[in-house]
Amino acid sequence: CVLINNFLCFMPSSQASLVPIKNNVEKLFNTPLKFLIIKVDKSRGNAICSRRSVLEKDKNIEIKEALKEIKEGQIITATTRALTTWGAFLEYKSITMLLHISDMSYSRVKQPSELLSVGDSIKVRVTKIDPETNRVSCSVKALSVDPYDNIEKKYEVGKNYSGTVQKHTPYGSFVQLEPGVLALCHQSEMDWTNRTIKPDKVLSISQKVNFKVVS
């Protein structure tokens, strides 16, 4: 219960804070706080109030002020706050930004945890700002040039190059030519006599190999 102007109002625990506080509501006891009346039932003589609504309003004002300091294309250093299967949430001042898994690297990334841990500080480029929803997207890839730009000039068909085996699949192995650039060595290109040989029988992970670019 919350006493507002000598009138007792009910506040659900879900309305106490921006994050769940479960059994820690006691820490708010006997402390002057701001609340917003969200429902009044005159027939029953009761009302429901919310502290969370006040905090959200203040948070939105803080975010809008912070958004004035950044712009699309700007490079900033943000802190990793949470990881999901499809990306990471970063924090810059009071702004929460989404770093999608597809924007983490030019190389294939299975899980964001392969590259990031909670608490890490990383440089990113702001790629999109939606002032209506306060949503901000960012990218690590956008900090560098796409390694596949002019790839045909770097690696010419018919010439030999060196690379490092990164992973195997049932149909072949992927070889890294440089960070962000993977080449497929199909199983049919591994042996003259056995066109369906298992890739891991020919190559080992992290092995340095020479090969010819065929396409």
Side-chain angles (χ1 to χ4, degrees), residues 8 37 71 82 151 205:
L8 278 178
I37 303 296
K71 58 184 179 180
I151 192 73
I205 300 297

Side-chain angles (χ1 to χ4, degrees), residues 7 44 90 103 138 180 204-205:
F7 183 79
R44 294 185 179 182
L90 311 181
D103 283 309
C138 59
S204 301
I205 300 297

Side-chain angles (χ1 to χ4, degrees), residues 159-176:
K159 286 192 175 183
N160 297 340
Y161 298 92
S162 178
T164 304
V165 179
Q166 291 290 303
K167 67 175 182 177
H168 299 306
T169 68
Y171 54 84
S173 300
F174 283 94
V175 180
Q176 180 176 276

Side-chain angles (χ1 to χ4, degrees), residues 51-187:
R51 175 172 174 260
R52 177 177 178 175
S53 296
V54 175
L55 295 176
E56 286 178 342
K57 183 178 180 180
D58 291 342
K59 183 71 173 179
N60 287 335
I61 293 174
E62 185 180 353
I63 291 174
K64 286 186 180 297
E65 288 301 313
L67 285 175
K68 294 178 181 178
E69 300 179 19
I70 64 172
K71 58 184 179 180
E72 293 182 4
Q74 184 176 345
I75 298 174
I76 59 176
T77 299
T79 304
T80 306
R81 290 306 182 199
L83 299 176
T84 70
T85 56
W86 42 268
F89 286 101
L90 311 181
E91 186 177 80
Y92 175 73
K93 296 187 177 180
S94 57
I95 304 171
T96 298
M97 303 186 297
L98 171 63
L99 173 60
H100 195 269
I101 190 170
S102 63
D103 283 309
M104 291 184 172
S105 173
Y106 283 108
S107 300
R108 297 184 183 183
V109 181
K110 290 184 179 180
Q111 295 287 339
S113 56
E114 294 177 3
L115 302 178
L116 293 173
S117 298
V118 173
D120 286 352
S121 293
I122 60 170
K123 281 188 176 182
V124 295
R125 186 184 295 275
V126 178
T127 55
K128 185 178 181 180
I129 299 175
D130 188 334
E132 293 186 3
T133 61
N134 293 336
R135 291 180 180 176
V136 180
S137 298
C138 59
S139 171
V140 173
K141 284 170 58 175
L143 293 174
S144 57
V145 178
D146 187 341
Y148 282 92
D149 286 348
N150 300 315
I151 192 73
E152 67 282 353
K153 293 181 180 179
K154 291 187 195 176
Y155 304 101
E156 298 180 32
V157 174
K159 286 192 175 183
N160 297 340
Y161 298 92
S162 178
T164 304
V165 179
Q166 291 290 303
K167 67 175 182 177
H168 299 306
T169 68
Y171 54 84
S173 300
F174 283 94
V175 180
Q176 180 176 276
L177 302 177
E178 62 179 79
V181 178
L182 292 178
L184 170 64
C185 183
H186 196 270
Q187 64 184 162

